[in-house]
Amino acid sequence: MTKQYKNLVNGEWKTSQTEMTIYAPATGEALGTVPAMSQQEVDAVYEAAHQAAPAWRALSYVERAAYLHKAADILVRDAAKIGAVLSKEVAKGHKAAISEVIRTAEIINYAAEEGLRMEGEVLEGGSFEAASKKKIAIVRHEPVGLVLAISPFNYPVNLAGSKIAPALIAGNVVAFKPPTQGSLSGLLLAQAFAEAGLPAGVFNTITGRGAVIGDYIVEHEAVNFINFTGSTPVGERIGQLAGMRPIMLELGGKDSAIVLEDADLDLAAKNIVAGAFGYSGQRCTAVKRVLVMDQIADELIAKVKSRVDQLTVGMPEDDADITPLIDTKAADFVEGLVHDANEKGAKALAQYQRQGNLISPLIFDHVTTDMRLAWEEPFGPVLPFIRVHSVEEAIAISNDSEYGLQASVFTNNFPQAFAIAEQLEVGTVHINNKTQRGTDNFPFLGAKKSGAGVQGVKYSIDAMTNLKSIVFDIQ
Ligand code: NAP
Ligand code: G3H
């Protein structure tokens, strides 16, 4: 009999009539069941949150911060326990899963502290009329109300904490929908907030398949802000359903690593391998293509290959570098990209190997722009190298993508690095390092189809608050 996980609704743990079983992607082991909530149960979540909102927003930042610090302490205490479940549930290396929980505690603490620095401003009138000088505006941040936070399978805890903590410290109430594959860990995160003593209804959870209840929870008029991380198609759908309501969308990416002739190739190879193959490539910020100057391509690719050959392939509990992908559909998708590249003449530097959902890491040389691998997000351990003949060509291919999350530039010519960074249509450019979110106080955003709105503790708080001005006339 597997453990029955429950939803946190109005301070109580609730089951539903329908339950879903969550299986480990790596072994097929049944890990537990979670409720598949009905629409009426979602209504009850939203009603509880609205009832709890006035008292929560009336607290001082210091009082709200105390709850957050407590939740963070509980996460640190339980990191091994939560990490063990997370590791099995999303087939993430055991150490990486524990570190995801610790990083979440850090974000929660940071958000609590950032809340203490939430300041408004006082403005003096300054329009063309002389009388405007007599006006004074007090501008303050107010909570938006009820925030719906939706996290993806690859960081079910961390990309939940990065939404929930800034929302709560700002005085909002929260409904959190974890990914179905990731909902056990998501509900363990909720347990930490519940144990921290958050007042009933301030933080609630909703489980159920996005394909079934997604539209209902998003369209619901009780929701004031939707904070979503996940795929671009689902993000676009949420954008359509949101109407006039504010949203934050962190979506897919096709991050380029651009390697110039003068780059330190050992440093580039190390970062490219870590960036492309961490968590088997299932990161929005993974290096998803390398644009390398032709003169140095052979040398760089040899260095990358020798590192890739050392990656271990196996099970999450053994902390293998490459673990099974989240499901068969994901592995089939990667396989489709591999076949397309093979058929169109790219050169695979190893034999393609797949056992179930476990795909061995593979690099392709001589990828060209007519291949799907040049443009699509594999979300798996396959990395294309595209040889280029000029900086302009590298920038053009990078910018031709529908995505615009991040990019890396490897060079020791810093003026050139800055010039390239200015031209890349992405949210962040890393110089001589892999693409990556964070640190978590930095702004994190995507251009084009990679998102809308800006994450990062301070930026998330700003996004999930409204400004209100109170204007005085001094007579
Ligand atoms: P996904 O399929 O879009 O799912 C993300 C979340 O949305 C899950 O909780 C999912 O629930 C829910 N959902 C699905 N359909 C929904 C709907 N119609 N309405 C509301 N919610 C719905 O993405 P994923 O496969 O979990 O994550 C991988 C993708 O996320 C990749 O494209 C990756 O690049 C992107 N990602 C982006 C960032 C970033 O910060 N830019 C970070 C991480 C991941 P169910 O699980 O129940 O379907
Ligand atoms: O998957 C998307 C995450 O936002 C990536 O975070 O760069 O820290 O792995 P990371």
Side-chain angles (χ1 to χ4, degrees):
M1 181 79 176
T2 57
K3 181 171 171 189
Q4 186 183 34
Y5 287 74
K6 297 175 186 173
N7 270 307
L8 179 62
V9 182
N10 205 17
E12 293 175 11
W13 293 99
K14 302 256 189 196
T15 56
S16 294
Q17 264 196 339
T18 316
E19 297 281 317
M20 308 181 287
T21 302
I22 307 299
Y23 298 93
T27 59
E29 177 194 356
L31 299 174
T33 63
V34 293
M37 271 190 164
S38 67
Q39 294 187 356
Q40 289 74 12
E41 287 166 332
V42 171
D43 292 346
V45 166
Y46 289 163
E47 176 56 28
H50 270 277
Q51 293 295 334
W56 181 248
R57 72 181 276 168
L59 294 182
S60 69
Y61 285 111
V62 176
E63 288 168 306
R64 289 197 291 264
Y67 287 108
L68 264 62
H69 285 307
K70 211 162 172 188
D73 288 346
I74 293 164
L75 282 182
V76 172
R77 183 197 70 197
D78 292 350
K81 194 176 82 188
I82 301 173
V85 173
L86 173 59
S87 168
K88 283 189 174 186
E89 189 179 16
V90 300
K92 181 175 278 195
H94 188 245
K95 281 190 197 144
I98 293 174
S99 130
E100 174 172 344
V101 180
I102 300 287
R103 180 179 177 184
T104 308
E106 280 181 12
I107 291 183
I108 295 171
N109 279 327
Y110 201 108
E113 285 159 23
E114 196 63 35
L116 303 182
R117 294 189 280 272
M118 288 262 302
E119 285 169 354
E121 54 187 352
V122 176
L123 300 177
E124 203 173 84
S127 73
F128 67 98
E129 289 172 318
S132 71
K133 187 93 175 76
K134 293 190 174 155
K135 286 185 183 295
I136 286 188
I138 298 174
V139 185
R140 298 166 67 199
H141 291 267
E142 289 193 343
V144 289
L146 171 56
V147 172
L148 171 62
I150 305 178
S151 65
F153 82 82
N154 65 338
Y155 278 101
V157 171
N158 185 262
L159 284 170
S162 67
K163 297 168 175 45
I164 294 162
L168 289 176
I169 193 67
N172 298 293
V173 289
V174 169
F176 164 44
K177 189 237 171 289
T180 297
Q181 195 72 42
S183 48
L184 306 183
S185 332
L187 293 176
L188 292 176
L189 173 71
Q191 244 174 41
F193 280 97
E195 191 184 331
L198 249 75
V202 168
F203 177 37
N204 310 274
T205 59
I206 296 172
T207 54
R209 294 206 182 278
V212 179
I213 55 160
D215 283 3
Y216 189 76
I217 63 174
V218 167
E219 265 186 317
H220 205 294
E221 60 183 16
V223 174
N224 303 110
F225 189 104
I226 303 141
N227 195 331
F228 171 83
T229 301
S231 63
T232 294
V234 174
E236 285 178 322
R237 169 98 188 132
I238 288 174
Q240 284 160 5
L241 295 179
M244 295 282 286
R245 290 170 299 168
I247 50 177
M248 170 130 45
L249 302 175
E250 298 295 348
L251 310 176
K254 186 71 185 172
D255 295 0
S256 313
I258 297 175
V259 188
L260 304 188
E261 294 100 325
D262 71 327
D264 175 338
L265 296 187
D266 288 311
L267 178 79
K270 179 173 157 230
N271 278 287
I272 286 168
V273 173
F277 296 102
Y279 188 30
S280 313
Q282 298 174 110
R283 294 166 52 245
C284 58
T285 48
V287 172
K288 291 180 182 141
R289 52 192 176 158
V290 181
L291 305 173
V292 55
M293 299 298 280
D294 195 43
Q295 299 92 315
I296 50 154
D298 287 343
E299 195 182 345
L300 176 70
I301 291 167
K303 286 180 189 289
V304 169
K305 182 174 173 353
S306 98
R307 286 177 178 271
V308 170
D309 289 345
Q310 288 163 35
L311 295 175
T312 55
V313 179
M315 290 294 125
E317 61 269 25
D318 300 328
D319 274 318
D321 298 313
I322 305 293
T323 50
L325 297 184
I326 195 70
D327 56 28
T328 304
K329 194 170 151 215
D332 289 347
F333 181 77
V334 173
E335 188 163 301
L337 295 179
V338 168
H339 287 329
D340 179 75
N342 273 327
E343 278 162 20
K344 291 180 180 152
K347 185 178 164 202
L349 297 190
Q351 184 77 27
Y352 171 66
Q353 290 183 57
R354 172 177 173 184
Q355 273 187 305
N357 301 335
L358 183 60
I359 294 180
S360 295
L362 186 57
I363 49 182
F364 274 99
D365 191 4
H366 297 290
V367 168
T368 47
T369 53
D370 58 331
M371 299 176 192
R372 291 175 57 200
L373 209 41
W375 308 110
E376 295 181 36
E377 178 185 40
F379 236 58
V382 177
L383 178 66
F385 279 76
I386 302 174
R387 292 173 178 241
V388 293
H389 299 89
S390 68
V391 167
E392 291 70 29
E393 188 186 358
I395 294 170
I397 294 175
S398 189
N399 285 347
D400 260 353
S401 172
E402 61 178 332
Y403 297 112
L405 191 56
Q406 298 202 338
S408 286
V409 181
F410 290 91
T411 176
N412 283 314
N413 181 339
F414 285 89
Q416 185 165 36
F418 276 90
I420 296 171
E422 273 185 22
Q423 294 173 71
L424 291 171
E425 296 165 359
V426 294
T428 308
V429 178
H430 295 268
I431 298 177
N432 291 327
N433 209 325
K434 59 182 182 285
T435 42
Q436 60 195 287
R437 176 166 50 108
T439 66
D440 293 313
N441 58 326
F442 289 174
F444 180 60
L445 67 154
K448 301 193 275 189
K449 288 200 173 188
S450 288
V454 184
Q455 259 197 98
V457 176
K458 173 164 95 79
Y459 306 93
S460 296
I461 294 175
D462 277 351
M464 291 186 279
T465 51
N466 289 324
L467 290 183
K468 181 181 276 177
S469 306
I470 301 172
V471 180
F472 291 89
D473 281 287
I474 317 159
Q475 293 306 324

